[in-house]
Amino acid sequence: MRSGCRIAVLMALAATAAVASAQQSIQLSAFPYRSVADGRSTTTLTAIVRDNSGRPVPNGTRIVFVATNGATFRESIVSTENGVARAILIAGTVPGMARVTATAQGGNAAPAVLDFEFVSDRKLLSSAQEYIEIVTADTAQYTTDTRVVAASAANQGVNLRYRDVQIQADDLQLDIGGYQVRARRAKLRIGKFEQDFEELSFRLNTREGFGTTSYMAQRADTIAWVGGMPAAVEVRPGDTLEIATERPKFGVVRVRAAGFEPATLPEGESPFQFADLSAAVSTIRAKKVTAFPQRGVQFQKAEVYVGTTKVLSMPLYELNQQAAAATPIITDQFVNVQDSTLAVNYPYYLSIKPGQTSLFRLRTGELYGRSTAANRGSFLDYELNWNRGDEMDGGVTFSGIARNDWNLSARQWWQVDDRSSAFFQALTPAGQSLLGSVGYTRQFEGFQTTVNANGSQNLRGLQFNSQDALIAIERDPAKVGRLPARLSLGMNLSYNANSLTSLRDRSAGVYARLLTNGMRTPIGGTLTLSGTVRQNQSSLRGVNTAYFATASYFRELASGVSVNTVYDFVQDGFDDRTYGKHRLSYLANVSRGRTLLQLNGLRSLTLDRQNFFADMSYRVGPLWRLGYRYTFDRFSGVEFIDDQYVLGYRLGWREVGLVYSRSTKRIGLQVVGATIF
């Protein structure tokens, strides 16, 4: 209790001592949330740019976009309209995470950073929409640090549902990230298959596992021949015979979607062992839990606990996975202090169920990207989100209710059938303009088509509009002889128009793309190579031949130490003017003992363009921590540099810290979740 009082006092002092900075803040988002690493798929990124009072920046503020891991932009420098800048991200060819950076040209705002995932197969996109539902007659408990849901109720009172899988149990634990279920006295149903198990360990997404149950097993019995019945072979009284009979047997079985079979557990494994959750930092207890493995967790009749103390009750609540990863203490997601600024982000849920949520959200003092300056504007938002597993995902957001600079946005993604998907999104800032994007992808036998279109229309003041559209047809990758590589061939048609410049451009092109499999190198690690040649015939620019190449090298140097280096070559007459023909990006991670370190950067080898981010944390002892954060962004001679030095002290599960910022040249206070080692 004393720790809680001290924290409350420190937060109050920090709120009254808040000092504003003149910096802008950039909020960066993407829809859809991930894409395929096929070199052609596009995603629309939206950057909302505001000054430190929460107002939109002036029209025409130029935002520079850059991405790593071979991803590029259709236009890398975009001007804001009513505080919004939108850029079209074009996928690279190497699966993995690409770090996207958005910076306001002029150096008066810290860059916003977004990690965007490119997957190797289109089928992997649907996994982001899946959900697992748990309903219990008693109470389910979710632990934030382990992402495990545990529930117990007599007479198989715990019910779990995932697609066509249903499990009823007395005791059940779900490891959300691994789709792993462990249960006792459980009944498993998959379609028409149904079986009772004393113990069950089952992975939902692969529909495989182990269990202990009774089943009929064949047994060879030995009997003495006494005669009286004809025998198939010549025997005499007193001889012994072996006959096969079926008798009930209790033992370990391997479970699959179609049934089970007797099995032996792998040596040294204990698949039925429940996790010990007694030392959880923070928990949520609820009657109903709906888990989205790639996104977050929803709760009905939620009670929030820190340790063993109940601190909050909410009829409905949704926990965002990224927010939960930042701090193990749930209440820090609602209210925290960073750099002497009180930040509030409080959701009040109106309804919540597996397919839909609606809520009001109060927010102020938010920090975006790597900024040290908070947005002091106060916002009340309404959000309506819906989801139907891997079939559809969408929502509507009305942000800044009762403000002059409100925003209304809508988004929708559909899995039309097992071969096609579609999406759209629209945004209108204060009714001043309308921005929209649509996309459709269809897989045929041996080839795939993609259609994408973007448009904008100014509704007030100077009337202007812009449109761009792309149609691409590509043959499925084919193996190239005995080489560890695949070759894709394609063609595309595009159209771009802008009423301000009265320019219209129509183009048609063909391209060839070669991608190798991951290859082991003599020095260790994995090397992946890709190359693309593209030729376009444009009504404005004539014939243009472009060349793209990417070399990605990943190596795990030791346990908890890894590096990923990517070299990109671009020569297309457009992006190479912004990025340069040669680019080098890198990511290094260290997580060993008391040390956490991440280095991430991009550097053009031919132009004045680079950024570098460093985040370090070192635990001096059980209570003290030293932290360092460095941000460097440079474009055409304009730089943004900021150092942050943190001295943290742990109070219970929280951490109170002093932070010095080089850009603001002042010492601030922060009360955030402690870094756990």
Side-chain angles (χ1 to χ4, degrees), residues 45 65-67 71-76 87-90 100 575 579:
L45 299 185
F65 292 87
V66 65
T72 58
F73 285 93
R74 190 168 296 168
E75 291 184 29
S76 54
I88 310 303
L89 176 69
I90 303 174
V100 179
D575 280 332
Y579 301 129

Side-chain angles (χ1 to χ4, degrees), residues 105 120 173 183 225 237 256 278 320 358 484 574:
Q105 198 170 8
S120 58
Q173 281 191 355
W225 180 258
R256 293 189 172 92
S278 59
N320 179 274
S358 62
F574 307 106

Side-chain angles (χ1 to χ4, degrees), residues 431-463:
Q432 301 287 331
S433 60
L434 179 63
L435 314 172
S437 303
V438 295
Y440 177 78
T441 299
R442 173 75 179 179
Q443 180 70 50
F444 296 93
E445 291 296 331
F447 69 97
Q448 177 179 279
T449 61
T450 301
V451 179
N452 284 292
N454 294 270
S456 68
Q457 174 68 56
N458 211 46
L459 302 177
R460 299 181 184 178
L462 179 63
Q463 296 293 307

Side-chain angles (χ1 to χ4, degrees), residues 337-410:
V337 177
Q338 296 192 50
D339 199 15
S340 293
T341 300
L342 179 67
V344 176
N345 189 326
Y346 182 80
Y348 179 79
Y349 287 87
L350 304 173
S351 67
I352 188 167
K353 50 188 176 182
Q356 181 178 300
T357 61
S358 62
L359 67 141
F360 285 106
R361 185 183 303 276
L362 175 65
R363 55 189 176 90
T364 186
E366 295 176 295
L367 292 169
Y368 297 123
R370 301 178 64 83
S371 178
T372 57
N375 182 334
R376 292 186 298 156
S378 297
F379 299 84
L380 177 64
D381 305 338
Y382 172 76
E383 301 174 19
L384 174 63
N385 303 294
W386 52 83
N387 182 288
R388 291 185 183 175
D390 55 1
E391 297 179 5
M392 59 179 285
D393 178 38
V396 174
T397 301
F398 183 17
S399 63
I401 297 174
R403 289 178 59 106
N404 294 329
D405 54 355
W406 53 268
N407 284 330
L408 179 62
S409 63

Side-chain angles (χ1 to χ4, degrees), residues 152 156 168-173 182-187 197-200 272-275:
S152 298
Q156 295 184 338
Q168 295 174 273
D170 283 9
D171 303 289
L172 182 143
Q173 281 191 355
R182 293 178 175 85
R184 302 188 184 107
R185 292 171 290 282
K187 176 177 289 186
F197 296 91
E198 183 63 25
E199 295 179 294
L200 178 66
F272 309 119
Q273 183 68 39
F274 275 40

